[in-house]
Amino acid sequence: MEIKELKRENDLLTATLSGRMDAITAAEFTSQLENWITQELKSFTIDCGQLDYISSAGLRAILMAAKKVRSLDGKLQLAALQESVQTVFEISGFDKIIPIFANLDDAAS
Amino acid sequence: MEIKELKRENDLLTATLSGRMDAITAAEFTSQLENWITQELKSFTIDCGQLDYISSAGLRAILMAAKKVRSLDGKLQLAALQESVQTVFEISGFDKIIPIFANLDDAAS
Amino acid sequence: MPPPNNSRKAIAPNLIELPAKLENLPLFMTFVCDQARQFDFTDKRTLEIELVLEEALVNVIEYAYPTERPGRLILHLEGKADGKLHLEIRDKGVLFNPLERAAPDLEAELMERPIGGLGIFLMKELTDGISWHRKDDENCLSIIFEPRHVK
Amino acid sequence: MPPPNNSRKAIAPNLIELPAKLENLPLFMTFVCDQARQFDFTDKRTLEIELVLEEALVNVIEYAYPTERPGRLILHLEGKADGKLHLEIRDKGVLFNPLERAAPDLEAELMERPIGGLGIFLMKELTDGISWHRKDDENCLSIIFEPRHVK
Ligand SMILES: Nc1ncnc2c1ncn2[C@@H]1O[C@H](COP(=O)(O)OP(=O)(O)O)[C@@H](O)[C@H]1O
Ligand SMILES: Nc1ncnc2c1ncn2[C@@H]1O[C@H](COP(=O)(O)OP(=O)(O)O)[C@@H](O)[C@H]1O
C-alpha cells in the first residue's frame, strides 16, 4: 500500500491511496492520518483509483478515520473507487456513510 | 530471468544474463542461443553480474550451449559471476570446462 | 449431447499447515490464489476469494489462540470437477462459531457504526456456501466458491 | 551462565501438499524460503536451501510419476531449537533412492561431460545431512540444514 500527498489547501489535504489495504498494511493509513491531524489538517479527499484491494481491516481504518475527522468538524471523502472496492463498500453499507465521488474534480465541487 | 544483447562483432556476441536461471526459466537461454546461432553467431561472452541464482537446470543449459558452440568452433565465456553462482560452478567442476572471467574487459582480452 | 468434461480441471485436496501468525498470511493467500488461478476463476472472483480468505485467516490469527504461542492453522483446498472450489480452514483454538454472529446494522449513521464486526459478514456475503462445525477439538470452517458469485 | 535460549526460534512442523507439477514449484519454494528467513538463516544459506529444494522437487515432478496424472508431493519443514532446519520431501511415486546415484566425473573434458546428473550431487554437497527411506509406498527424503554450511 502506498499513500501519496497530492496537495494542501488550508486544512484540506488531497492524497492518493494505492495498492492493497489489508490486515498487514491498513495500520499505515491510520498512523498517516494521525500524523496529518497533528499538522492542523482536518478534511481529506483520497483518490483510490489505484487501490486494488480492501479487506475489513481497511474498512476499519477508513471508518476510524471518518469518525475522527467528523469529531474535528472535518470530513473524509473518497474518489474513483475500482469496481471490486466499490462492491466491498456497498456490501458493508459504507457507501451510505462515506461520501464517494467519481473523481477528484467531482469531490472538489 | 532476462537476456539482453549488448553488442555484436562479426560472429561474436556479448550479452547479459540476469535474474534466476532455474527449472522454469533455463529453457529461454537454450532457445535464445539457438536463435543466435541461426544468425551466424558462434562465440558468446555472457556477463552474469546480475544473475542471482542458478540451479542444475541452468547448468544443464550452459553445458549444452558450451558443447554446441564448441562443435561450431566457437566458444562460450562467462564473466562477473556472483559468489553464490561461482560456488555452484565450482562444486560442479564447471569452472574447469567453462572459461570464467572477472569482468567483460578481461574476457575480451 | 454428452455433459461437458470438466474433470481435467479438478484438483486434488491440497494442504498447507503453518503457525497462525500474521507473518504467514501472505503464504496462505498465495497458496489459495495460485490454485484458484490454475482453476480458471476470473480475476474478480479471485479477489473475492482472497478477501474471504483474509477475513477467515485473520480471525484465527487474532482470536483463536488468546493465551498460547501461535497455534496451528490448517487450510485444505479442493477444486471439484463441477468447477467449485472447496476450502476448509481448521484451528485448535477456542470454540467459536462465526456463523452465529449477528449481522452489522448497515443503516446506522456514521457515528453510530461500531468499529469492527465486518469480517464475518463479508465472508457470508461473498461465499456460495459456508458452514462450521467443531470436531476433535477443532473449529472447521467449510467454504464453497462458485466461479461466478450469484447473490 | 545459562545456555542461550534459542527455543523461541523453534518452529513447529509445517506442511504443504500439492500436485507434483512445475506450476507449483514457486509455491513450494516460497513456503520454505519464507520459513527459513523467519528462522534467521543468512541470505547465502537461504539461496543454498533454495537450490537443494529445487533439485529435490524437480526430480519428483519430472521422474516420480512417469505415467499417471501429476501425483502428490508433500513437504514437511521443522525448525529445531538448536537452529537446524529439517526438511522432509515425500512422494508416492516409483521407488527411487537418490543417494545411490554415482557422483559425476568432475574432471572430464567439456565434450565428455554428460548432460544432466548434477541435481542429486548438488543436493548432497550443500546439505548437512541427507537420508532416504521407503515407507508405506512413499519415498521419504530427509534433509538437514545448519545455519552455516561446513564442508
Ligand atoms: N476464531 C475466533 N475465535 C474467537 N472469537 C472470534 C473468532 N473470530 C472472530 N471472533 C469474534 O468475532 C468478532 C467479529 O469478527 P469479524 O466480523 O471478523 O470482525 P472484527 O474482527 O473486525 O471485529 C471479533 O471481534 C471477535 O470478537
Ligand atoms: N524421483 C525420481 N524417480 C526416478 N528417477 C529419478 C528420480 N529423481 C532422479 N531420478 C533419476 O536420477 C537421474 C539424476 O538426477 P539428477 O542428479 O537430479 O540430474 P538430472 O535430473 O538433471 O538428470 C535423473 O536423470 C533420473 O534418471
Side-chain angles (χ1 to χ4, degrees):
Chain A
M1 199 185 69
E2 212 189 347
I3 305 166
K4 258 206 200 115
E5 183 174 327
L6 291 182
K7 65 171 186 231
R8 293 182 189 215
E9 276 174 291
N10 306 318
D11 59 7
L12 171 71
L13 182 128
T14 310
T16 60
L17 186 60
S18 58
R20 299 169 56 88
M21 197 177 193
D22 61 20
I24 292 173
T25 60
E28 294 165 30
F29 179 78
T30 304
S31 63
Q32 179 61 75
L33 189 97
E34 277 164 14
N35 193 284
W36 281 330
I37 286 174
T38 62
Q39 297 166 36
E40 311 288 320
L41 295 158
K42 63 178 194 180
S43 285
F44 302 88
T45 303
I46 316 273
D47 184 330
C48 299
Q50 303 301 315
L51 184 68
D52 304 315
Y53 175 88
I54 193 166
S55 67
S56 76
L59 294 177
R60 168 193 291 263
I62 299 277
L63 180 59
M64 290 196 303
K67 286 183 164 192
K68 176 78 190 173
V69 299
R70 168 78 62 89
S71 73
L72 300 170
D73 276 328
K75 64 185 176 196
L76 172 70
Q77 309 186 127
L78 305 182
L81 302 201
Q82 290 186 23
E83 190 198 332
S84 57
V85 173
Q86 175 80 32
T87 303
V88 175
F89 269 70
E90 285 169 11
I91 296 177
S92 317
F94 270 40
D95 55 333
K96 296 194 202 101
I97 51 175
I98 314 272
I100 298 175
F101 297 90
N103 51 54
L104 284 181
D105 286 344
D106 283 10
S109 65
Chain B
M1 198 185 71
E2 212 190 348
I3 306 166
K4 258 207 200 112
E5 182 174 328
L6 291 183
K7 66 172 187 228
R8 292 181 190 217
E9 275 175 292
N10 306 317
D11 58 7
L12 171 71
L13 182 127
T14 310
T16 60
L17 186 60
S18 57
R20 299 170 56 88
M21 197 176 193
D22 61 21
I24 292 173
T25 60
E28 295 166 28
F29 180 78
T30 304
S31 62
Q32 179 60 73
L33 189 97
E34 278 165 14
N35 192 284
W36 281 331
I37 286 173
T38 62
Q39 297 166 37
E40 312 287 319
L41 296 157
K42 63 179 195 179
S43 284
F44 302 88
T45 304
I46 316 274
D47 184 329
C48 299
Q50 302 301 316
L51 184 69
D52 304 314
Y53 176 88
I54 193 166
S55 67
S56 76
L59 294 178
R60 168 194 291 263
I62 298 276
L63 180 60
M64 289 196 304
K67 285 183 164 193
K68 177 77 192 174
V69 300
R70 167 77 62 90
S71 73
L72 299 170
D73 276 329
K75 63 185 175 192
L76 173 69
Q77 309 185 127
L78 305 182
L81 302 202
Q82 290 185 24
E83 190 197 334
S84 58
V85 173
Q86 176 80 32
T87 303
V88 175
F89 269 70
E90 285 170 10
I91 295 177
S92 317
F94 270 41
D95 55 331
K96 296 193 202 101
I97 51 174
I98 315 271
I100 297 174
F101 297 90
N103 51 54
L104 285 182
D105 286 344
D106 283 11
S109 64
Chain C
M1 210 168 69
N5 175 13
N6 284 320
S7 65
R8 66 184 165 77
K9 282 196 190 169
I11 51 179
N14 298 318
L15 184 70
I16 184 168
E17 176 173 351
L18 283 170
K21 359 184 227 183
L22 211 52
E23 267 171 294
N24 288 328
L25 183 63
L27 206 47
F28 282 110
M29 303 286 286
T30 309
F31 179 87
V32 172
C33 294
D34 255 40
Q35 303 293 310
R37 225 165 282 122
Q38 288 182 30
F39 202 54
D40 289 344
F41 276 73
T42 61
D43 285 352
K44 176 160 192 294
R45 195 66 183 134
T46 305
L47 269 178
E48 291 167 355
I49 294 174
E50 230 176 300
L51 175 54
V52 168
L53 185 68
E54 178 184 325
E55 303 303 341
L57 297 176
V58 166
N59 279 356
V60 175
I61 293 169
E62 290 190 342
Y63 306 114
Y65 301 102
T67 50
E68 320 146 56
R69 314 209 267 131
R72 313 299 300 160
L73 202 172
I74 299 163
L75 198 153
H76 265 272
L77 182 120
E78 191 165 355
K80 302 285 189 181
D82 62 6
K84 294 183 192 169
L85 198 69
H86 289 232
L87 211 73
E88 191 184 63
I89 295 163
R90 295 193 339 245
D91 66 75
K92 294 185 191 296
V94 294
L95 187 154
F96 179 78
N97 179 355
L99 307 183
E100 283 176 356
R101 293 280 304 190
D105 176 3
L106 303 181
E107 304 299 327
E109 297 284 308
L110 172 64
M111 298 308 276
E112 269 70 55
R113 290 279 311 237
I115 301 293
L118 287 168
I120 294 169
F121 179 68
L122 284 168
M123 285 169 50
K124 288 184 185 167
E125 291 293 307
L126 291 169
T127 48
D128 301 291
I130 184 161
S131 65
W132 175 92
H133 66 275
R134 180 93 179 172
K135 198 188 154 198
D136 301 335
D137 283 331
E138 285 191 334
N139 295 306
C140 302
L141 187 65
S142 300
I143 296 173
I144 297 172
F145 293 104
E146 304 205 2
R148 207 172 293 272
H149 180 49
V150 200
K151 267 247 54 173
Chain D
M1 213 167 67
N5 175 12
N6 284 321
S7 65
R8 67 184 164 80
K9 283 197 190 168
I11 51 180
N14 298 319
L15 183 70
I16 184 168
E17 175 172 353
L18 283 170
K21 355 184 231 186
L22 211 52
E23 268 170 294
N24 287 329
L25 183 63
L27 207 47
F28 282 111
M29 303 286 286
T30 310
F31 179 87
V32 172
C33 295
D34 256 41
Q35 302 293 312
R37 226 165 282 124
Q38 289 182 29
F39 203 55
D40 288 344
F41 275 74
T42 61
D43 285 351
K44 177 162 192 293
R45 193 67 183 135
T46 305
L47 269 178
E48 290 167 354
I49 293 173
E50 232 176 301
L51 176 54
V52 168
L53 185 67
E54 178 184 325
E55 302 303 343
L57 297 175
V58 166
N59 279 355
V60 175
I61 292 169
E62 291 191 339
Y63 305 114
Y65 300 102
T67 50
E68 320 145 56
R69 315 209 266 130
R72 313 299 301 162
L73 204 170
I74 299 162
L75 199 153
H76 266 271
L77 182 119
E78 192 166 356
K80 302 285 189 181
D82 62 5
K84 294 183 191 171
L85 198 69
H86 288 234
L87 211 72
E88 190 185 62
I89 294 162
R90 294 190 342 242
D91 66 76
K92 294 184 190 298
V94 294
L95 187 155
F96 178 79
N97 179 354
L99 306 184
E100 284 176 355
R101 293 278 306 190
D105 176 3
L106 303 181
E107 303 299 326
E109 296 285 307
L110 172 64
M111 298 309 275
E112 268 70 56
R113 290 280 309 240
I115 302 294
L118 287 168
I120 294 168
F121 180 67
L122 284 168
M123 284 170 50
K124 288 184 186 167
E125 291 292 308
L126 290 169
T127 48
D128 300 292
I130 184 162
S131 66
W132 174 93
H133 67 275
R134 181 93 178 171
K135 198 190 155 199
D136 301 334
D137 283 329
E138 286 190 334
N139 295 306
C140 303
L141 187 65
S142 300
I143 296 172
I144 297 172
F145 294 103
E146 305 205 1
R148 207 172 293 269
H149 181 51
V150 202
K151 266 248 53 172

